[in-house]
Amino acid sequence: MQPDHTLLIIDDEEVVLDSCTQVLGGGDCRVLTAGNGAEGLQRIDESPPDLVFVDLKMPGLSGLEVLERIRARDPLMVVIVITGYATVSSAVEAMKKGAFDFLPKPFTPEELRLIARRGLEHHRLVQQTIALRREKEMLRENFAAIVSHELKSPLGAIQQNLYVLTADLEDKLSEEQKTLCGRLKIRIDDLVKLIHSWLRVFAVDINKLKDTFQPVAVAAVVAKAIESVEPHATRKAIPIESSLAASLPPVLGDEGSLTEVLVNLLGNAVKYSFPDHPVRVRAEAQGTVVVLAVADTGVGIAREDLPHLFQDFARGQTQPEGAGGCGLGLAISRRIVEVHGGSIGVESEPGKGSTFTIRLPVAAPPAPQPSPNPERKA
Ligand SMILES: Nc1ncnc2c1ncn2[C@@H]1O[C@H](COP(=O)(O)OP(=O)(O)OP(=O)(O)O)[C@@H](O)[C@H]1O
Ligand SMILES: [Mg+2]
């Protein structure tokens, strides 16, 4: 029968190696032995075992040194240290350095079997976690590939053709048909936007943005974001007001992505607000950061939703009727802000409104004191 597990015992005492081999060997375990640290490390390099026992007190490389070198090679390898009476404090140190457990000498066969079983179970769980992570990663990649190849391109083609067709038929369509076409466009635009969000989360490596960072004028980001959200806000009769401190220092980043963040926040503020309740954007420098805040007096967010809002697909329980979305806007925004070395947070009270605040490090040392007239209303 092929053994299921490989154990390695590293100890300078031959009698310990022999007795451990006798107790643990046979059945589903193969036991390898090494008489010193260097030999043990060589065995690990040749064929990584599932579980390592290492004596702390050995001539040459000590058990602690062996442990450190094992962890440097493979931080997840399960290592149990064997200690003599005199080395209990080293056992504690070994645990701090990542040993799974320790076995004081002298030990009975039953104690050895028990600790080996626990070590192997831990190894199994670690391997299972790695496999699950790998599977998740593959699903993510497959999902991104499917979405982009199977959905994004044909949907983009449908969207374009629909626009061309409705423009060509402008004079021939009845009012009712035009309304239907308008609805079709909205639904397809929403779908394209949804796919764009999914791909942003699953396929785009936001870290790569860093390669093209440049000083970005915050006022330009605010202006572009407002321009993008304004049609929707106007339709809902929600005014957007901005109040930017004069001579805001630039931040180092990617203008398009920072605008995307603000569009998400402003879009939410409008989506989760009521007619005639203005949405306010404020920006000011505070030391070496620029603080951007988007405040609304809309539905607000339940306290228990606050810790999860920035996670993928998280949606709060206070959803006004017809407020669509897939819970990705804030997750994408958080990733973008963090890649800029910044942070994003929220304060909210149900029924009273929410304020989302972004802090971004300025691109250069802060400019000299702003002029005496710091506030400008747009
Ligand atoms: N200004 C706000 N007021 C009240 N609730 C908000 C506000 N902004 C976000 N939320 C809550 O946070 C949740 C997550 O927001 P997020 O922008 O990530 O997703 P979404 O708006 O639901 O969908 P989408 O992916 O289209 O942005 C929302 O579903 C909503 O419950
Ligand atoms: Mg949103």
Side-chain angles (χ1 to χ4, degrees), residues 7-11 24 50-56 63 66-67 70-71 77-83 91 94-95 98-104 107 111-123:
L7 280 67
L8 171 65
I9 323 278
I10 311 173
D11 199 311
L24 299 174
D50 301 328
L51 178 61
V52 179
F53 283 90
V54 60
D55 185 19
L56 279 186
V66 175
L67 173 65
I70 292 176
R71 298 212 76 74
M77 187 163 281
V78 186
V79 181
I80 294 171
V81 294
I82 304 173
T83 63
M95 298 294 285
F100 168 68
D101 208 344
F102 66 94
L103 180 64
F107 46 82
E111 284 167 342
L112 178 63
R113 267 189 222 106
L114 190 71
I115 202 165
R117 221 176 296 137
R118 288 188 47 230
L120 286 173
E121 175 61 10
H122 185 70
H123 169 78

Side-chain angles (χ1 to χ4, degrees), residues 292-362:
L292 264 161
V294 175
D296 65 66
T297 53
V299 294
I301 300 161
R303 182 186 286 262
E304 54 272 34
D305 288 335
L306 290 174
H308 316 293
L309 280 196
F310 297 95
Q311 291 169 7
D312 295 348
F313 300 111
R315 301 208 72 209
Q317 48 190 276
T318 37
Q319 295 288 339
E321 225 184 280
C326 55
L328 285 174
L330 289 179
I332 294 168
S333 303
R334 177 182 54 80
R335 283 180 175 81
I336 294 175
V337 169
E338 285 176 356
V339 120
H340 283 77
S343 63
I344 182 167
V346 58
E347 283 178 9
S348 183
E349 219 178 303
K352 295 214 165 145
S354 315
T355 301
F356 285 80
T357 307
I358 305 168
R359 291 169 194 279
L360 294 166
V362 299

